[in-house]
Amino acid sequence: MYRIKTIAFLVIVFTMILAACQPAVPATKASEGPIGKASCAPNCTYKDMTLCYPQLGAESDWRTANTASFKETADQLGVKLVFSDAQQKQENQISAMRSCIQQGVSVIALPPVVETGWDAVLQEAKDANIPVIIVDRSVSADKSMYVSHIGSDMVLEGKKAGEEMNKLLPNGGNVLEISGTTGSGAAVGRAKGFRETLNKNITILDSQTGNFNPTEAKPVAEAFLKKYEGKIDGFFIHNDGMAQAVVEAMKAAGVKPGDIKMVSVDGTRGGFQMMIDGWVQADVECNPLLGPQVMEMALKLMNGEKIEAEVLTNETTYYPDKAAELLPTRKY
Ligand code: AHR
């Protein structure tokens, strides 16, 4: 009996030592691990892919171009695209993602309307082994909750805008800001970068959201022009659509092109026209044509290949001097 007990004790101790010596199982890091690897791997083609794209809305020409980029690329490559329009509502994006998870799509590409509030649905996608690529704006969720982010460096865009404003107002002055959607990575990043770069002799008199939407930005611009009449040297506007609304408000208020310097973001055709007409002095590029890059990454995931954890778009700044020459070449 004593012998049996001793043997049993030794077996337990030995098993415990063995377990302790095992290398720790690394947490699946999506960019290295098999998350999303499909049964067709390593020979999956675009025709095997169902890509979910719960678009956040249709608030701007940028967004329209972004949607077109996904739809056209999917058509060209033979990817099945599950597209929806959340009309600026996070809850709609989350429902669309849940429906995609239920359908068992290959990959979800999420352009998040705001930064926070994604943890639960990202966990659901992860549990279902469906990789999520964050597209365009950022999320605040831990990086382990999604496989990659493809989009612009919004803080850098804000910094570029600040540098342009410094050049336009070398003797300082007062500026007003009309920002994008409150809580969105694009608005938060641009506001941050702008403030980090702006010279000390430039004061931000006021900042209000226009939700990246010209219709919402127009009354904000009208109120600003009334309230700060004669005191405004510059406008920093978070996108071209809202800048077009500011131009309309300035025209109605009798302001002439160039009286108030304006820096905008996106580089849409509308932005180029405003530069040609003398209203905008610098347009910081934000590129919406992300469909091809996202689908290429999605295919790599399906085939179990490594991917980059962050892919930032290379962007430039456009100026009035080349605007007329470049306008016919603009794709959005
Ligand atoms: O997230 C990108 C921003 O969203 C673009 O600057 C804006 O035009 C769009 O609505």
Side-chain angles (χ1 to χ4, degrees):
M1 187 63 184
Y2 175 75
R3 252 179 99 100
I4 293 172
K5 272 188 181 168
T6 309
I7 290 167
F9 174 74
L10 285 174
V11 167
I12 290 168
V13 170
F14 188 63
T15 313
M16 283 167 76
I17 292 170
L18 253 186
C21 292
Q22 287 297 316
V25 178
T28 312
K29 196 159 172 266
S31 54
E32 293 165 2
I35 191 165
K37 190 171 167 183
S39 52
C40 49
N43 298 313
C44 301
T45 70
Y46 286 116
K47 300 210 170 20
D48 298 308
M49 185 189 299
T50 303
L51 181 75
C52 175
Y53 197 52
Q55 179 60 284
L56 65 87
E59 73 285 359
S60 63
D61 290 347
W62 189 102
R63 191 65 53 197
T64 307
N66 179 257
T67 292
S69 172
F70 275 80
K71 288 187 173 173
E72 283 162 17
T73 310
D75 271 359
Q76 282 159 15
L77 300 175
V79 168
K80 289 175 276 308
L81 188 70
V82 181
F83 179 88
S84 50
D85 176 346
Q87 300 181 341
Q88 307 297 319
K89 292 198 175 77
Q90 183 179 32
E91 63 265 33
N92 291 348
Q93 282 195 295
I94 291 174
S95 309
M97 277 179 78
R98 290 201 166 121
S99 153
C100 284
I101 293 168
Q102 276 202 331
Q103 288 173 56
V105 299
S106 326
V107 176
I108 297 172
L110 169 69
V113 63
V114 288
E115 284 190 301
T116 57
W118 299 103
D119 291 54
V121 73
L122 287 176
Q123 185 62 54
E124 288 164 37
K126 206 173 180 193
D127 291 345
N129 197 36
I130 298 174
V132 178
I133 303 170
I134 303 296
V135 178
D136 164 28
R137 304 174 185 176
S138 50
V139 291
S140 61
D142 191 82
K143 284 187 173 23
S144 62
M145 303 296 287
Y146 55 92
V147 297
S148 185
H149 169 236
I150 297 183
S152 304
D153 182 338
M154 304 296 185
V155 177
L156 182 62
E157 289 177 354
K159 285 184 178 171
K160 288 180 184 173
E163 279 160 18
E164 296 305 329
M165 197 58 88
N166 291 341
K167 284 192 252 167
L168 290 163
L169 304 177
N171 302 318
N174 296 320
V175 300
L176 292 164
E177 176 182 49
I178 302 185
S179 66
T181 304
T182 306
S184 68
V188 172
R190 287 171 194 171
K192 182 173 185 280
F194 188 66
R195 281 157 182 75
E196 280 174 8
T197 315
L198 210 59
N199 283 341
K200 295 276 172 291
N201 60 2
I202 300 177
T203 305
I204 303 174
L205 282 183
D206 209 338
S207 173
Q208 300 283 330
T209 182
N211 206 16
F212 283 127
N213 181 322
T215 313
E216 291 179 54
K218 181 118 180 260
V220 177
E222 287 164 348
F224 274 172
L225 288 163
K226 213 166 160 194
K227 184 169 177 191
Y228 300 103
E229 192 184 347
K231 293 188 188 137
I232 315 165
D233 301 298
F235 271 120
F236 170 39
I237 312 299
H238 282 208
N239 81 349
D240 286 342
M242 297 195 295
Q244 286 172 291
V246 175
V247 169
E248 283 176 31
M250 286 201 281
K251 280 182 185 166
V255 178
K256 297 279 170 290
D259 283 357
I260 298 176
K261 307 297 180 210
M262 183 145 65
V263 178
S264 181
V265 186
D266 275 356
T268 61
R269 288 195 196 102
F272 274 70
Q273 193 58 55
M274 286 186 289
M275 288 195 281
I276 294 167
D277 296 339
W279 293 103
V280 167
Q281 282 68 44
D283 202 355
V284 178
E285 184 189 20
C286 181
N287 192 335
L289 308 177
L290 303 173
Q293 259 176 300
V294 170
M295 289 179 212
E296 194 185 329
M297 182 181 281
L299 188 61
K300 281 187 178 170
L301 286 162
M302 289 173 67
N303 279 323
E305 290 174 35
K306 279 192 179 181
I307 55 149
E308 301 276 329
E310 170 111 64
V311 182
L312 293 175
T313 316
N314 255 335
E315 290 165 339
T316 185
T317 301
Y318 299 107
Y319 300 97
D321 60 342
K322 295 260 167 55
E325 182 191 328
L326 291 176
L327 178 57
T329 69
R330 300 299 296 159
K331 293 202 171 69
Y332 56 96

